[in-house]
Amino acid sequence: IEFYTINASKIAQEIGLGNRTNMIIQSAFFKLSGVLPIEEATTHLKDSIVKSYGHKGDDIVNMNNQAVDAGINALVKIDIP
């Protein structure tokens, strides 16, 4: 068994997204699942951010891009004895 945790709420707060954890969780999912190569998944997520939030300004886009990167890098593996 492989078990991972991620403190998505804390990350979202630190980035400035409030309680919005969706991009963090989505990128963590893609990293762990292997459904797509992580580089391809990241590209698709970041493209969708521009399409969905681009009209809200660069700050919102940048915060969501940070969320994608954090979701990939902040996973913590828990060792199961």
Side-chain angles (χ1 to χ4, degrees):
I1 185 171
E2 291 187 22
F3 185 71
Y4 293 83
T5 64
I6 187 167
N7 193 341
S9 296
K10 179 182 176 190
I11 294 166
Q13 289 288 327
E14 290 172 351
I15 292 172
L17 290 173
N19 295 323
R20 295 171 196 91
T21 60
N22 60 321
M23 286 298 162
I24 299 163
I25 299 298
Q26 285 183 64
S27 61
F29 165 79
F30 280 115
K31 181 174 181 180
L32 293 174
S33 71
V35 173
L36 292 172
I38 193 61
E39 297 82 12
E40 184 178 346
T42 301
T43 299
H44 288 300
L45 286 171
K46 290 184 177 184
D47 287 346
S48 74
I49 289 167
V50 172
K51 289 177 187 173
S52 297
Y53 304 114
H55 68 280
K56 294 186 176 191
D58 289 340
D59 289 343
I60 301 297
V61 169
N62 291 335
M63 284 189 285
N64 279 278
N65 285 338
Q66 286 178 329
V68 168
D69 295 335
I72 292 168
N73 297 316
L75 285 164
V76 177
K77 184 174 183 178
I78 306 299
D79 291 324
I80 306 295

